[in-house]
Protein backbone atom coordinates (compact mmCIF):
# COMPACT_ATOMS: atom_id res chain seq x y z
CA UNK A 1 0.00 0.00 0.00
CA UNK A 2 1.26 3.48 -0.84
CA UNK A 3 0.47 6.28 1.57
CA UNK A 4 0.90 9.90 0.50
CA UNK A 5 1.10 12.77 2.97
CA UNK A 6 0.30 16.09 1.32
CA UNK A 7 0.06 19.52 2.89
CA UNK A 8 1.92 22.57 4.09
CA UNK A 9 4.77 23.15 6.54
CA UNK A 10 3.09 21.02 9.20
CA UNK A 11 3.25 18.05 6.84
CA UNK A 12 6.72 18.98 5.58
CA UNK A 13 8.02 19.03 9.18
CA UNK A 14 11.65 19.58 8.24
CA UNK A 15 11.98 16.75 5.74
CA UNK A 16 15.32 16.37 4.02
CA UNK A 17 15.08 17.31 0.34
CA UNK A 18 18.43 15.71 -0.46
CA UNK A 19 17.88 12.36 -2.19
CA UNK A 20 20.41 10.79 0.17
CA UNK A 21 18.74 12.40 3.18
CA UNK A 22 18.15 10.63 6.43
CA UNK A 23 14.62 11.92 6.93
CA UNK A 24 12.55 12.01 3.72
CA UNK A 25 9.36 11.94 5.81
CA UNK A 26 10.30 14.83 8.06
CA UNK A 27 10.09 14.83 11.83
CA UNK A 28 6.34 15.28 12.32
CA UNK A 29 3.14 13.32 12.04
CA UNK A 30 4.03 11.69 8.69
CA UNK A 31 7.12 10.15 10.28
CA UNK A 32 5.22 9.04 13.39
CA UNK A 33 2.43 7.38 11.39
CA UNK A 34 4.94 5.65 9.10
CA UNK A 35 6.90 4.42 12.12
CA UNK A 36 3.81 3.00 13.82
CA UNK A 37 2.52 1.28 10.68
CA UNK A 38 6.01 -0.03 9.99
CA UNK A 39 6.04 -1.73 13.38
CA UNK A 40 2.55 -3.17 12.97
CA UNK A 41 2.85 -4.17 9.31
CA UNK A 42 6.53 -4.44 8.29
CA UNK A 43 7.26 -4.24 4.56
CA UNK A 44 3.62 -3.64 3.64
CA UNK A 45 3.67 0.11 3.04
CA UNK A 46 5.49 2.78 1.06
CA UNK A 47 5.32 6.32 2.40
CA UNK A 48 5.73 9.59 0.53
CA UNK A 49 5.75 13.08 2.02
CA UNK A 50 4.83 15.75 -0.50
CA UNK A 51 4.25 18.47 2.09
CA UNK A 52 5.82 21.83 1.24
CA UNK A 53 6.02 24.84 3.50
CA UNK A 54 3.87 27.67 2.22
CA UNK A 55 1.48 25.46 0.25
CA UNK A 56 -2.11 26.62 0.09
CA UNK A 57 -5.26 24.76 -0.87
CA UNK A 58 -5.07 25.97 -4.46
CA UNK A 59 -1.48 24.65 -4.68
CA UNK A 60 -2.55 21.27 -3.34
CA UNK A 61 -5.44 20.99 -5.79
CA UNK A 62 -3.11 21.70 -8.72
CA UNK A 63 -0.54 19.19 -7.42
CA UNK A 64 -2.84 16.30 -6.45
CA UNK A 65 -3.01 14.63 -9.87
CA UNK A 66 0.77 14.67 -10.24
CA UNK A 67 1.36 13.37 -6.72
CA UNK A 68 -1.17 10.58 -6.91
Amino acid sequence: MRILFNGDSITDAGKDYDSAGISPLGQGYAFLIAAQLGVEFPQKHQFFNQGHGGSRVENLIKQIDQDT
Side-chain angles (χ1 to χ4, degrees):
M1 175 180 288
R2 292 183 181 135
I3 298 175
L4 170 69
F5 299 98
N6 206 342
D8 58 10
S9 59
I10 295 171
T11 305
D12 182 303
K15 72 181 181 192
D16 191 339
Y17 289 90
D18 181 1
S19 62
I22 296 170
S23 183
L25 291 173
Q27 302 167 17
Y29 77 88
F31 174 77
L32 295 173
I33 292 169
Q36 183 64 40
L37 288 174
V39 167
E40 293 179 23
F41 308 100
Q43 300 179 359
K44 300 255 181 182
H45 298 88
Q46 288 181 299
F47 300 96
F48 304 93
N49 185 346
Q50 290 300 101
H52 296 283
S55 285
R56 299 173 54 169
V57 172
E58 55 265 18
N59 303 112
L60 297 175
I61 291 171
K62 291 176 184 175
Q63 192 70 26
I64 196 76
D65 286 335
Q66 181 178 339
D67 290 344
T68 58

